[in-house]
Amino acid sequence: MKKKVSQQKLLYRWKRKVYATLMFAFCFGTFVFIQARFASIQARFNRISASLDSLKKPRLDQRPQIAFLFIARNRLPLEFVWDAFFKGEDGKFSIYVHSRPGFVLNEATTRSKYFLDRQLNDSIQVDWGESTMIEAERVLLRHALRDSFNHRFVFLSDSCIPLYSFSYTYNYIMSTPTSFVDSFADTKDSRYNPRMNPIIPVRNWRKGSQWVVLNRKHAEIVVNDTSVFPMFQQHCRRKSLPEFWRDRPVPAEGWKEHNCIPDEHYVQTLLSQKGVDSELTRRSLTHSAWDLSSSKSNERRGWHPMTYKFSDATPDLIQSIKGIDNINYETEYRREWCSSKGKPSPCFLFARKFTRPAALRLLREVNFSLTIIA
């Protein structure tokens, strides 16, 4: 009987020791976990505090940035050219991409670190010939203006390539306080809709390339506009195709259809309306080759520039574009001689429209890495 009681006592003591050991291990593990979590939270707090401090106290070595604003359908097919262009220039530029709603630039859709997660999350569906194109431009500017270090804003398409090195491009753009806006009186076309008057009088109607470079003041004018943009929304409608090409019904009120081509008129007309023409260098920095008979689309024939394909991508092509030093504006009887820092210079820093095979050929066969060096 005594032996049985002794065994029970030993078993009881053993269970107490096991329980105590488990409780100690649990408490110690909990303590270690809490310490680790606290250290993690403390580190995160320190990073956030440092970020807030950096916003309050700008870095002395931070240079003014150029914001590159890409308007793309989905991914950027020429990202490999831009990757080489941006390499080693961190702190001098920022990137914003407007793609179709829902598209994400992640490791599956881009191989360039510079474009990762650079898409806008509030992008809109863009339709050719509609005011949605200029709405997308305004969305891009709205995002880019949030960064106070962005001093210039460059609009680019997904088919654009740079013609010179980043340093040459940066110095060219930053050397003047003006914006580069291709802007001239539109006297030959019938794109002006008289129904825009008197908000937009015909004397302020301007035409030009949508690929502009804006300074901060003019970018803010575009974003804050509440009078000219609504006129484009209301009075610019893409005309319906003839019946056998039509992809949508003709509206009952046919007069509401008026091809204004908003992206070629909006920024130019708005800045003219605001009386800042004298603050512009009135030419584009992006070259386009217009071929009015090349388009196979019955709707868009004559509305789009020529596309450079694989067979076009030669050293002669690049040198011919870089060799342009003046632009003639027939409607204003004006010839614009291009200059930078008061000296004659090439007119164009970028060119479009290049296909992916054309850009690959420039890299592989033409040694394009040399052509982008000033």
Side-chain angles (χ1 to χ4, degrees):
M1 184 69 179
K2 289 183 178 180
K3 187 177 181 180
K4 187 174 181 180
V5 172
S6 177
Q7 289 177 342
Q8 287 178 344
K9 287 183 178 180
L10 288 173
L11 181 62
Y12 176 72
R13 289 174 183 172
W14 181 80
K15 286 183 178 179
R16 286 183 60 186
K17 289 180 179 180
V18 171
Y19 178 76
T21 301
L22 290 175
M23 285 297 296
F24 176 78
F26 175 77
C27 292
F28 181 76
T30 302
F31 175 77
V32 171
F33 175 77
I34 291 174
Q35 283 287 94
R37 290 293 295 172
F38 177 77
S40 175
I41 293 171
Q42 184 68 33
R44 185 177 299 178
F45 175 78
N46 290 338
R47 286 197 300 271
I48 293 173
S49 297
S51 298
L52 291 175
D53 289 341
S54 67
L55 290 175
K56 295 176 183 178
K57 300 177 181 178
R59 286 172 46 196
L60 296 178
D61 61 343
Q62 176 69 51
R63 297 184 64 178
Q65 295 178 158
I66 296 178
F68 290 85
L69 314 179
F70 289 87
I71 298 179
R73 297 170 181 82
N74 295 301
R75 65 179 67 198
L76 292 156
L78 309 185
E79 63 183 1
F80 52 91
V81 176
W82 291 101
D83 189 87
F85 176 74
F86 290 126
K87 191 164 294 182
E89 302 295 344
D90 293 351
K92 300 177 186 177
F93 68 91
S94 58
I95 295 173
Y96 303 83
V97 181
H98 185 286
S99 296
R100 63 171 172 78
F103 181 79
V104 177
L105 285 162
N106 53 31
E107 293 182 355
T109 57
T110 181
R111 295 183 179 181
S112 172
K113 66 177 183 179
Y114 300 112
F115 292 100
L116 279 173
D117 300 318
R118 298 313 303 160
Q119 79 286 341
L120 305 186
N121 294 325
D122 56 348
S123 62
I124 62 169
Q125 183 62 45
V126 174
D127 296 312
W128 182 85
E130 300 285 351
S131 59
T132 49
M133 176 63 80
I134 56 178
E135 188 174 353
E137 294 176 357
R138 283 159 54 92
V139 173
L140 279 163
L141 285 175
R142 192 175 301 117
H143 280 268
L145 281 167
R146 293 172 184 169
D147 186 341
S148 61
F149 289 117
N150 288 333
H151 285 211
R152 298 292 187 276
F153 305 82
V154 180
F155 281 101
L156 297 160
S157 77
D158 55 11
S159 66
C160 282
I161 62 169
L163 296 173
Y164 296 92
S165 67
F166 182 92
S167 60
Y168 180 85
T169 302
Y170 182 92
N171 292 332
Y172 192 116
I173 292 174
M174 301 299 289
S175 66
T176 174
T178 66
S179 295
F180 290 88
V181 180
D182 185 36
S183 177
F184 53 93
D186 182 16
T187 58
K188 290 187 176 181
D189 292 331
S190 58
R191 296 182 185 176
Y192 176 75
N193 190 337
R195 294 178 181 274
M196 293 179 169
N197 194 56
I199 302 299
I200 305 176
V202 69
R203 68 177 181 274
N204 290 336
W205 185 250
R206 296 289 186 274
K207 181 181 178 182
S209 168
Q210 79 175 103
W211 311 112
V212 301
V213 177
L214 300 178
N215 62 26
R216 196 166 183 92
K217 173 185 174 180
H218 298 150
E220 289 173 346
I221 288 176
V222 173
V223 166
N224 296 327
D225 169 38
T226 58
S227 58
V228 174
F229 179 61
M231 289 293 98
F232 277 84
Q233 286 182 305
Q234 184 177 349
H235 297 296
C236 288
R237 294 286 187 276
R238 180 161 56 98
K239 288 185 179 179
S240 298
L241 299 171
E243 186 174 357
F244 48 90
W245 291 329
R246 191 177 304 152
D247 59 355
R248 59 181 179 178
V250 178
E253 297 172 300
W255 58 267
K256 288 187 176 180
E257 291 189 318
H258 191 98
N259 267 4
C260 293
I261 315 298
D263 49 281
E264 293 183 3
H265 293 273
Y266 172 65
V267 172
Q268 292 80 358
T269 299
L270 172 62
L271 295 181
S272 176
Q273 188 97 335
K274 295 296 182 180
V276 296
D277 279 338
S278 62
E279 300 175 12
L280 310 177
T281 298
R282 292 198 295 149
R283 59 184 174 88
S284 176
L285 296 182
T286 300
H287 177 267
S288 299
W290 292 92
D291 184 348
L292 302 183
S293 61
S294 64
S295 177
K296 295 181 180 180
S297 168
N298 291 305
E299 177 186 8
R300 302 183 182 184
R301 180 169 294 159
W303 296 98
H304 288 268
M306 186 173 75
T307 297
Y308 293 115
K309 301 179 181 178
F310 180 88
S311 59
D312 304 311
T314 65
D316 289 343
L317 169 66
I318 299 300
Q319 290 306 319
S320 67
I321 296 173
K322 294 172 72 172
I324 299 172
D325 61 1
N326 71 91
I327 305 170
N328 184 41
Y329 293 91
E330 295 181 1
T331 61
E332 294 184 344
Y333 306 101
R334 171 172 63 96
R335 184 175 294 277
E336 187 81 23
W337 291 93
C338 303
S339 64
S340 176
K341 299 180 182 179
K343 299 179 181 179
S345 69
C347 292
F348 301 109
L349 299 179
F350 313 100
R352 61 188 297 266
K353 303 171 57 175
F354 284 81
T355 62
R356 184 178 176 86
L360 283 169
R361 182 182 179 187
L362 289 173
L363 280 175
R364 294 173 182 174
E365 298 181 19
V366 188
N367 198 6
F368 187 61
S369 60
L370 294 179
T371 72
I372 64 174
I373 297 176

